[in-house]
């Protein structure tokens, strides 16, 4: 039996769903799993876990742990940068197109950007409901996006998406990449991650960001944060606890229409630009 992997599996039948306890020896392949608050890498270690045998959904889910798709065979997905677009409707009427660049974000947070990109293109057709932002609405409440004095925005536009990611049913946060792309908010506003934004001189007008904690984190929720239009008093907390994936290339006028209160903003179409 030398050289063979020995595993102990105890089947426990609950209703019609079998579950098992398993032991991974030190010679087993590295186990790489994304846990609720990040990615834990445990190469070569002995691990014992309880799991429910489940079918794969996207990247699959095991014991409440979202496994990386293709793990152990193809490795982590390689993010594609480039330009993505969203054609926006407000109150059922065409408002124009938003275009974001994901180039820098794909270098810093490749797994997170890839999950967002595939939901922009809707290419993960095997997942039900289909993972796509097409047809999704932005939260609509003009009194929320305006500061008391008017004319300045914070998290102007929030989209919840379909409530999942391409890696499985559990929230996914690319925590292992944070140390290389940690940015400090002005004052004592904490940290944000990914693409660095000059919040003092507002070198970009708006950014595309995702939450790394709090409601809807690690799934499909994203923010369009209006950096330049935000009041200076907001700058300290503007990007705190988010990961910035990209910057707005064009469409600031479309964001103005979305924030005007003229109607419910939604994504009529979206995808990658050639």
């Amino acid at each position: 039996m030398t050289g063979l992997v020995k595993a102990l599996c105890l089947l426990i039948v609950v209703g019609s769903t079998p579950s098992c306890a398993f032991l991974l020896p030190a010679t087993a392949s590295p186990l790489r799993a994304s846990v609720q608050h990040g990615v834990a890498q445990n190469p070569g270690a002995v691990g014992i876990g309880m799991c429910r045998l489940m079918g794969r959904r996207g990247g699959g889910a095991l014991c409440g742990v979202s496994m990386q798709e293709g793990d152990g065979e193809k490795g982590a997905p390689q993010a594609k940068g480039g330009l993505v677009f969203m054609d926006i409707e407000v109150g059922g009427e065409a408002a124009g197109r938003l275009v974001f660049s994901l180039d820098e974000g794909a270098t810093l947070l490749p797994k997170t950007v890839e999950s967002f990109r595939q939901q922009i293109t809707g290419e993960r057709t095997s997942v039900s409901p289909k993972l796509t932002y097409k047809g999704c609405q932005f939260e609509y409440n003009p009194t929320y996006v305006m500061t008391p004095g008017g004319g300045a925005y914070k998290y102007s536009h929030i989209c919840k998406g379909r409530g999942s990611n391409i890696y499985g049913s559990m929230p996914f946060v690319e925590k292992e990449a944070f140390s290389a792309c940690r940015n400090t908010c002005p004052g004592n506003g904490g940290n944000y991650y990914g693409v660095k934004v000059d919040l003092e001189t507002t070198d970009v007008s708006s950014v595309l960001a995702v939450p790394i904690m709090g409601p809807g984190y690690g799934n499909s929720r994203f923010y369009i944060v209006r950096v330049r239009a935000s009041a200076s008093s907001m700058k300290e907390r503007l990007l705190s606890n988010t990961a910035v994936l990209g910057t707005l290339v064009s469409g600031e006028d479309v964001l103005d229409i979305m924030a005007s209160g003229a109607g419910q903003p939604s994504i009529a179409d979206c995808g990658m630009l050639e």
Side-chain angles (χ1 to χ4, degrees), residues 224-242:
I224 299 175
V225 186
R226 304 193 72 172
V227 177
R228 187 174 296 157
S230 294
S232 58
S233 59
M234 289 184 174
K235 294 295 168 50
E236 286 190 11
R237 301 294 298 175
L238 192 63
L239 297 176
S240 180
N241 296 324
T242 69

Side-chain angles (χ1 to χ4, degrees), residues 89-254:
E89 289 184 351
V90 174
E93 299 292 330
R97 171 171 287 189
L98 301 172
V99 178
F100 294 89
S101 172
L102 300 180
D103 286 339
E104 188 175 356
T107 301
L108 299 170
L109 296 167
K111 298 174 189 175
T112 308
V113 168
E114 185 61 10
S115 182
F116 178 83
R117 188 196 67 80
Q118 288 195 30
Q119 292 180 78
I120 280 286
T121 64
E123 62 194 68
R124 190 59 66 93
T125 56
S126 61
V127 178
S128 181
K130 186 178 178 181
L131 278 179
T132 177
Y133 288 119
K134 184 176 180 178
C136 291
Q137 295 181 337
F138 288 88
E139 290 188 5
Y140 168 51
N141 188 345
T143 59
Y144 171 77
V145 301
M146 302 293 290
T147 60
Y153 306 85
K154 192 178 181 182
Y155 287 145
S156 305
H157 315 286
I158 303 172
C159 180
K160 295 180 180 178
R162 305 291 179 183
S164 188
N165 59 66
I166 69 171
Y167 303 116
S169 60
M170 296 297 293
F172 173 82
V173 177
E174 198 172 354
K175 202 168 184 179
E176 78 276 14
F178 283 177
S179 61
C181 59
R182 179 182 290 108
N183 305 302
T184 304
C185 299
N188 298 315
N191 298 315
Y192 68 96
Y193 305 88
V195 179
K196 184 175 177 59
V197 181
D198 189 336
L199 293 171
E200 299 288 355
T201 62
T202 57
D203 56 341
V204 296
S205 62
S206 300
V207 299
L208 179 71
V210 296
I212 62 170
M213 60 177 62
Y217 85 97
N219 286 312
S220 56
R221 180 183 293 246
F222 70 89
Y223 306 141
I224 299 175
V225 186
R226 304 193 72 172
V227 177
R228 187 174 296 157
S230 294
S232 58
S233 59
M234 289 184 174
K235 294 295 168 50
E236 286 190 11
R237 301 294 298 175
L238 192 63
L239 297 176
S240 180
N241 296 324
T242 69
V244 178
L245 307 185
T247 56
L248 183 70
V249 174
S250 63
E252 192 72 20
D253 57 329
V254 180

